[in-house]
């Protein structure tokens, strides 16, 4: 392209190349800086937590004595919470995305819904906590129960699941649908036997991201009334509970150095749980990808 006559809006080729190299260098340094800070934080947490990490710490209940404190009730509460959240949010989110992509008629109302879902994905989690407090804890009278916390976290991650599932459904070639329709399949048969299996890897990716966000949330759980000191394991969805983020918040706020070390140990347990959950979801995603490639 020839430069403009006045040279105001067009950089020369060498200038563009130099600017591009400078920007690439700045972005590379920013990335390296972020990685170094993250690694330093992880190393510091692990070194602080190492003396406290053992089977007794995992199997013990919280205590006012640092040497006897553990995360068993918080760990079980987190597992309960993530299980209920996944059972509520994943089917509802996938079903909503399937309806919006495969059944809803295009128009201004559908575009309005999509814009609002995208906006909801960026709402701060504390707002969902306030909504959960007003709707589930007080209006529905669920109290400070596991179910109230799971419903609140489900509202938090539903937009992420819906958006990622919509993108996964859009990635399925239209020829797959048209070929199935040509053979006489109904719309639901096409979705069930072709579209969803092919979109499963993308859907699993969205579920991984959504649950990874939910497992570390503290503000919504504080607002719905999650307890900071629990010496029992929940037995049902309507029981009171605590979770690892709440326990970490409680210990980190205490002035004693021992409790801050316990908070670091709980952070390591939370990271291991998050890694295990993500690894399981990634293996499932790879399984669906292999099935899609084989078919």
């Amino acid at each position: 392209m020839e430069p403009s006559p006045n040279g105001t809006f067009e950089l020369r080729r060498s200038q563009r190349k130099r600017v591009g190299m400078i920007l690439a260098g700045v972005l590379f340094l920013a990335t390296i800086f972020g990685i170094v800070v993250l690694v330093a934080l992880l190393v510091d947490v692990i070194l602080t937590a190492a003396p406290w990490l053992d089977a007794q710490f995992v199997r013990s209940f919280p205590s006012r004595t640092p040497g006897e404190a553990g995360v068993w009730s918080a760990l079980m509460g987190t597992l309960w919470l993530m299980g209920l959240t996944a059972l509520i949010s994943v089917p509802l989110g996938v079903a909503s995305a399937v309806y919006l992509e495969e059944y809803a008629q295009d128009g201004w109302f559908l575009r309005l819904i999509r814009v609002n879902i995208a906006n909801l994905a960026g709402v701060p989690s504390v707002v969902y906590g306030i909504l959960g407090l007003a709707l589930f804890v007080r209006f529905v009278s669920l109290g400070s129960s596991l179910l109230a916390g799971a419903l609140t976290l489900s509202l938090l991650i539903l937009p992420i699941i819906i958006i990622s599932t919509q993108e996964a459904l859009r990635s399925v070639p239209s020829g797959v649908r048209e070929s199935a329709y040509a053979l006489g399949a109904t719309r639901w048969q096409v979705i069930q036997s072709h579209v969803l299996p092919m979109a499963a890897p993308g859907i699993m990716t969205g579920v991984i991201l959504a649950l990874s966000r939910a497992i570390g949330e503290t503000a919504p759980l504080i607002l719905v009334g999650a307890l900071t000191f629990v010496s029992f394991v929940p037995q049902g969805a309507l029981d009171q509970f605590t979770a690892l983020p709440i326990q970490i918040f409680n210990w980190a706020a205490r002035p004693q150095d021992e409790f801050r070390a316990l908070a670091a140990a709980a952070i390591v347990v939370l990271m291991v749980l998050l890694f295990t959950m993500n690894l399981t979801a990634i293996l499932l995603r790879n399984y669906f990808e292999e099935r899609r490639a084989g078919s």
Side-chain angles (χ1 to χ4, degrees):
M1 181 182 295
E2 292 295 328
S4 57
N6 55 12
T8 302
F9 302 103
E10 192 76 27
L11 288 173
R12 295 179 180 177
R13 183 175 182 180
S14 60
Q15 291 176 322
R16 294 199 301 269
K17 185 176 181 180
R18 191 180 307 115
V19 171
M21 291 178 63
I22 293 172
L23 289 176
V26 171
L27 294 176
F28 176 77
L29 292 176
T31 303
I32 294 298
F33 178 77
I35 294 174
V36 169
V37 172
L38 177 61
V39 171
L41 290 173
L42 290 176
V43 170
D44 180 65
V45 168
I46 292 173
L47 292 178
T48 305
W52 300 86
L53 282 173
D54 53 20
Q56 184 270 336
F57 174 76
V58 176
R59 294 288 301 178
S60 298
F61 289 100
S63 173
R64 293 181 176 86
T65 304
E68 300 176 0
V71 293
W72 184 244
S73 58
L75 179 59
M76 290 298 102
T78 299
L79 293 176
W80 265 97
L81 193 62
M82 289 299 102
L84 289 173
T85 301
L87 286 175
I88 296 169
S89 61
V90 175
L92 187 57
V94 173
S96 300
V98 169
Y99 173 77
L100 292 174
E101 284 298 316
E102 303 294 334
Y103 288 95
Q105 296 294 325
D106 192 17
W108 67 269
F109 186 67
L110 178 60
R111 290 192 294 270
L112 180 64
I113 292 175
R114 288 175 175 170
V115 169
N116 280 279
I117 291 174
N119 291 334
L120 287 173
V123 172
S125 59
V126 67
V127 177
Y128 287 99
I130 297 171
L131 176 62
L133 173 63
L135 180 60
F136 302 124
V137 176
R138 296 183 177 175
F139 182 76
V140 186
S141 300
L142 292 176
S144 302
S145 63
L146 271 166
L147 184 57
L151 288 170
T152 302
L153 291 181
S154 297
L155 290 179
L156 173 66
I157 65 175
L158 263 177
I160 303 174
I161 296 176
I162 293 174
I163 292 172
S164 60
T165 302
Q166 284 182 293
E167 294 298 329
L169 294 174
R170 290 172 192 159
S171 67
V172 177
S174 59
V176 173
R177 297 177 175 85
E178 294 168 358
S179 300
Y181 288 141
L183 294 175
T186 63
R187 177 172 296 185
W188 173 241
Q189 289 173 334
V190 173
I191 295 171
Q192 183 183 20
S193 60
H194 293 78
V195 176
L196 284 178
M198 295 186 70
I203 295 173
M204 290 302 303
T205 301
V207 172
I208 293 170
L209 294 174
L211 292 179
S212 298
R213 178 182 180 185
I215 197 173
E217 288 293 344
T218 306
L221 300 182
I222 292 176
L223 286 169
V224 299
L227 303 178
T228 57
F229 186 90
V230 173
S231 58
F232 59 88
V233 174
Q235 301 298 321
L238 297 179
D239 289 347
Q240 291 185 314
F241 72 103
T242 189
L244 283 171
I246 298 293
Q247 192 66 68
I248 293 168
F249 172 77
N250 182 30
W251 281 338
R254 298 202 176 187
Q256 298 92 336
D257 292 336
E258 292 84 358
F259 281 108
R260 286 197 288 269
L262 287 174
I267 290 172
V268 174
V269 173
L270 179 60
M271 288 193 300
V272 171
L273 179 61
L274 177 61
F275 175 79
T276 304
M277 186 177 68
N278 285 350
L279 179 62
T280 303
I282 289 171
L283 292 176
L284 287 174
R285 183 187 66 186
N286 293 339
Y287 169 75
F288 285 115
E289 286 181 343
E290 291 175 0
R291 284 190 57 184
R292 185 174 68 175
S295 62

